[in-house]
């Protein structure tokens, strides 16, 4: 094995280790993410005298350009709070949340969240709980009641949550408006595009939820998960799917697939829904590729630093063991200076 090759391998591994060490130090110095985010932001919402507005969006998935544009628009909007309906991040690694939280530090309005299926990736559902709090919760603003569900597993919210939901819907009867949020829509009504069948995978549970929401005359059901804008009625329950906060769009129809957020205006005796379109950057795919490469690399080095050190050490040992074996094979046999039969 060439010594030059060994030097290149050693130099490459050393550079990776130095970079990973820098990332790890930066990550540690950043400190732990905040806790009970949703509760803290609920405390920031000022009780409106009557009329108020709020924003709803979903599926930013660690977007950069589109999501930063969305934040800038919200800062200039007259809203009481904003709601991110899940898929805040690419996956549930802490470093992905760090990036998301650095972005929303610029948001001047309270921000509440729901849990999406991407938050469960990498087996990290618990990270969402540690940072944002309970997976499902409710709150009231003025005469409007808000119920936030967790159906991120795409199949079944479970008997305890369903029992809780029915109790919350009963409680919501005392309010003029009843808004429900869930990341996964009950059904996927599309006939074409990629990622079809993005509704709840347990059809029986979807129908059960639909009947329950119908019974309590829900004002609006907000869902995300499908990267589109869609509005309609399931049974007697009106719904809006808003998944245009930065994740790759699910199709090309300009009337359905575009980046956006919703502005919801609660007025005297009625609610208005306005779709606010966001710009689509010309080179979004390149921006996304560069950003994703950096984000995943940073997360890998920060989260799996000691695994990386161990792997690098094994690689070093393997390279030098192969080099030693190669030298041993190439070493010529020793020849005696004297002939074996000199006295002949």
């Amino acid at each position: 094995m060439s010594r030059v090759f060994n030097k290149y391998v050693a130099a490459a591994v050393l550079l990776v280790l130095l970079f990973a060490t820098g990332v790890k130090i930066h990550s540690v110095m950043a400190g732990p993410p905040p806790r009970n985010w949703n509760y803290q932001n609920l405390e920031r919402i000022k009780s409106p005298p009557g009329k108020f507005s709020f924003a709803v969006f979903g599926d930013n998935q660690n977007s950069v350009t589109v999501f930063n544009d969305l934040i800038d628009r919200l800062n200039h909007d007259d809203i009481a709070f904003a709601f991110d309906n899940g898929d805040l991040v690419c996956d549930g690694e802490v470093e992905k949340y760090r990036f998301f939280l650095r972005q929303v530090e610029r948001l001047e309005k309270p921000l509440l969240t729901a849990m999406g299926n991407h938050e469960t990736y990498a087996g990290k559902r618990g990270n969402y709980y540690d940072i944002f709090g309970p997976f499902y919760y409710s709150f009231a603003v003025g005469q409007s009641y808000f119920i936030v569900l967790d159906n991120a597993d795409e199949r079944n919210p479970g008997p305890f949550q369903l029992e809780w939901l029915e109790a919350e819907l009963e409680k919501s009867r005392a309010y003029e408006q009843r808004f429900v949020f869930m990341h996964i829509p009950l059904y996927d009504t599309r006939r074409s595009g990629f990622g079809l069948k993005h509704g709840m995978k347990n059809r029986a549970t979807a129908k059960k939820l639909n009947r329950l929401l119908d019974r309590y005359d829900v004002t609006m059901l907000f869902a995300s998960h499908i990267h589109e804008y869609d509005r309609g009625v399931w049974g007697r329950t009106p719904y809006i799917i808003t998944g245009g906060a930065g994740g790759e769009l699910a199709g090309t129809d300009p009337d359905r697939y575009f980046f956006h957020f919703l502005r919801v205006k609660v007025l005297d005796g009625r609610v208005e829904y306005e779709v606010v379109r966001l710009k689509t950057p010309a080179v979004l795919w390149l921006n996304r590729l560069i950003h994703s490469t950096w984000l995943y690399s940073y997360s890998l080095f920060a989260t799996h630093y000691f695994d990386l050190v161990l792997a690098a050490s094994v690689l070093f040992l393997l390279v030098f063991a192969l080099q030693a074996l190669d030298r041993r094979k190439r070493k010529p046999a020793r020849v005696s200076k004297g002939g074996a039969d000199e006295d002949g």
Side-chain angles (χ1 to χ4, degrees):
M1 183 179 291
S2 169
R3 290 185 180 182
V4 174
F5 174 75
N6 289 336
K7 287 180 181 179
Y8 279 125
V9 171
V13 172
L14 181 60
L15 285 173
V16 170
L17 282 177
L18 287 173
F19 178 74
T21 301
V23 168
K24 184 65 177 178
I25 292 171
H26 181 271
S27 176
V28 171
M29 290 180 66
R35 299 178 69 88
N36 295 318
W37 172 278
N38 286 328
Y39 176 78
Q40 292 178 26
N41 278 266
L42 280 170
E43 292 288 293
R44 293 176 56 204
I45 298 176
K46 297 176 182 179
S47 182
K51 304 175 184 179
F52 71 97
S53 298
F54 62 95
V56 186
F57 48 88
D59 294 276
N60 39 294
Q61 296 182 359
N62 284 133
S63 163
V64 183
T65 307
V66 174
F67 192 55
N68 285 339
D69 180 30
L70 187 153
I71 291 171
D72 290 338
R73 297 288 294 273
L74 293 180
N75 282 335
H76 292 89
D77 211 318
D78 184 21
I79 56 172
F81 64 94
F83 192 91
D84 194 329
N85 202 22
D87 279 4
L88 325 175
V89 292
C90 299
D91 62 54
E93 293 277 11
V94 170
E95 301 307 326
K96 309 295 195 317
Y97 285 120
R98 285 188 196 278
F99 184 84
F100 168 78
L101 293 168
R102 283 197 297 271
Q103 286 182 292
V104 296
E105 280 178 357
R106 297 192 301 106
L107 182 60
E108 298 166 4
K109 315 294 171 69
L111 174 68
L112 306 173
T113 69
M115 187 173 188
N117 57 300
H118 276 251
E119 278 74 78
T120 70
Y121 289 177
K124 302 295 183 181
R125 172 181 270 264
N127 285 340
Y128 177 92
Y129 184 89
D130 290 341
I131 297 170
F132 297 98
F135 299 130
Y136 51 93
Y137 58 98
S138 64
F139 61 97
V141 178
Q143 283 301 306
S144 298
Y145 203 72
F146 298 80
I147 300 173
V148 183
L149 299 177
D150 166 25
N151 68 340
D153 71 348
E154 306 179 58
R155 298 194 63 81
N156 196 330
F160 295 109
Q161 186 177 177
L162 287 174
E163 184 178 342
W164 173 87
L165 171 60
E166 187 163 7
E168 289 297 311
L169 287 169
E170 187 65 41
K171 194 185 302 183
S172 73
R173 287 185 186 276
Y175 293 81
E176 292 180 5
Q177 291 85 30
R178 289 164 292 284
F179 299 111
V180 178
F181 301 80
M182 59 173 67
H183 180 70
I184 311 295
L186 294 178
Y187 316 104
D188 186 345
T189 59
R190 297 173 299 156
R191 294 173 180 257
S192 63
F194 72 83
L196 295 177
K197 298 183 179 178
H198 259 47
M200 290 188 66
K201 299 189 186 306
N202 188 322
R203 192 81 171 178
T205 300
K207 290 181 178 179
K208 182 177 181 179
L209 273 169
N210 202 160
R211 289 193 296 270
L212 184 59
L213 298 175
D214 285 351
R215 192 192 318 159
Y216 287 91
D217 297 319
V218 167
T219 305
M220 183 61 72
L221 169 63
F222 297 99
S224 296
H225 193 50
I226 306 173
H227 301 178
E228 65 165 0
Y229 169 77
D230 186 30
R231 182 172 177 176
V233 180
W234 288 323
R236 291 192 298 107
T237 299
Y239 73 86
I240 293 178
I241 297 175
T242 171
E248 184 179 359
L249 296 174
T252 57
D253 182 350
D255 293 328
R256 190 163 184 168
Y257 304 110
F258 53 90
F259 296 117
H260 69 278
F261 68 88
L262 300 178
R263 183 188 295 119
V264 183
K265 297 180 179 180
V266 180
L267 307 169
D268 294 328
R270 72 184 194 279
V271 182
E272 295 180 356
Y273 306 91
E274 181 182 353
V275 182
V276 181
R277 288 179 177 253
L278 301 171
K279 294 179 181 178
T280 301
V283 288
L284 180 63
W285 69 270
L286 181 60
N287 179 294
R288 186 88 183 176
L289 175 64
I290 294 171
H291 166 66
S292 297
T293 301
W294 162 251
L295 187 61
Y296 274 94
S297 298
Y298 186 99
S299 181
L300 172 68
F301 293 142
T303 308
H304 303 286
Y305 175 73
F306 295 107
D307 294 332
L308 183 66
V309 170
L310 178 61
S313 300
V314 171
L315 180 59
F316 262 121
L317 289 174
L318 179 61
V319 168
F320 287 110
L322 290 173
Q323 184 183 37
L325 182 62
D326 187 51
R327 282 201 304 266
R328 187 172 179 181
K329 286 182 177 180
R330 289 168 178 261
K331 191 173 182 181
R334 297 185 65 181
V335 179
S336 175
K337 291 183 179 180
D341 54 348
E342 287 180 350
D343 57 341

